[in-house]
Amino acid sequence: CPYAHKAWIALEVSQCPYEMKEVSLYGPGGKPDWFWDLNPRGTVPIVVVTGNGESGKEVFADSEWILDAVANGRVGGTTRESNRLLLKSERERSHSYSEETLQKISQWRDAISNKLAPICKKAVLGGSLPQLRSLLGELNDMVEGPYLAAEEFTVADCAAFPFFWRIDQEFGIGKGKHGKDEEKLREWLDRCL
């Protein structure tokens, strides 16, 4: 699942301590009751942070919320010095990223969630491959390099990698007749691998 994958990447890159529990998405037993108690929508991933809030735990039941929580240091008790993904609160205050870079990170995350994910799903199901190729060309032009939105790996890269990796596995990125139109994406993907 690319949504669980991007949350996992963010946890790994940020070096947050965590414990992972995998659940069956389908099958005879389905998801366990404890999972439904944490997330009645039944979607993955979820991250539970213990020791926070009035109830002693905080539940993040959406991959984008998880990226925000990791980037803001709300997951894993990471500090500014140890969390390579801290963005919004800490880095805005320390001015490590310009407003322009923060805007590019936001644009990338929006493009992945609202453009690439739906078009990718259609292409994998047998349609919209020309539309996907056209979007890949547009996204290629957005790459700032060496990473998507900055000189370093950000939550934009966490959000994007699972989708681009799957597209590359299924259709190839930056290869063959599409090589030049997708060259920056290919370089970025190779850097991330």
Side-chain angles (χ1 to χ4, degrees):
C1 169
Y3 301 98
H5 195 185
K6 69 182 178 178
W8 175 74
I9 291 169
L11 291 168
E12 283 292 311
V13 171
S14 70
Q15 301 175 347
C16 293
Y18 67 92
E19 175 187 342
M20 182 168 51
K21 292 183 182 179
E22 293 186 45
V23 296
S24 175
L25 297 179
Y26 314 103
K31 296 173 185 148
D33 290 341
W34 63 262
F35 183 89
W36 288 105
D37 291 342
L38 292 170
N39 183 12
R41 292 183 344 194
T43 58
V44 295
I46 61 170
V47 167
V48 178
V49 180
T50 57
N52 289 352
E54 294 176 22
S55 68
K57 68 180 174 185
E58 193 171 4
V59 178
F60 300 97
D62 178 274
S63 60
E64 286 297 312
W65 298 345
I66 293 167
L67 290 184
D68 287 339
V70 171
N72 287 317
R74 293 175 61 195
V75 172
T78 57
T79 64
R80 190 160 151 283
E81 292 75 30
S82 68
N83 186 340
R84 294 176 51 206
L85 288 178
L86 283 177
L87 293 177
K88 294 184 182 217
S89 60
E90 292 297 325
R91 287 202 177 157
E92 277 182 0
R93 278 188 242 138
S94 68
H95 306 291
S96 292
Y97 285 144
S98 68
E99 193 59 42
E100 180 183 1
T101 298
L102 290 169
Q103 185 177 3
K104 288 175 185 173
I105 291 168
S106 179
Q107 288 171 338
W108 267 106
R109 290 178 68 186
D110 181 64
I112 299 305
S113 294
N114 298 317
K115 293 180 182 178
L116 186 64
I119 290 173
C120 183
K121 183 176 180 178
K122 288 178 189 175
V124 168
L125 294 174
S128 299
L129 187 55
Q131 190 179 8
L132 175 62
R133 286 292 179 199
S134 175
L135 179 59
L136 290 175
E138 291 174 34
L139 295 174
N140 185 74
D141 293 340
M142 287 175 54
V143 176
E144 290 295 316
Y147 294 98
L148 295 180
E151 292 295 314
E152 61 186 335
F153 198 88
T154 69
V155 290
D157 302 286
C158 295
F161 179 81
F163 293 96
F164 284 116
W165 180 81
R166 283 166 172 78
I167 293 167
D168 187 46
Q169 296 298 303
E170 187 73 23
F171 306 111
I173 291 179
K175 298 177 181 175
K177 67 180 182 177
H178 304 287
K180 211 164 189 97
D181 295 337
E182 301 166 1
E183 185 175 38
K184 291 179 183 177
L185 287 173
R186 176 79 257 160
E187 290 171 4
W188 168 80
L189 190 57
D190 289 342
R191 185 171 291 104
C192 291
L193 292 171

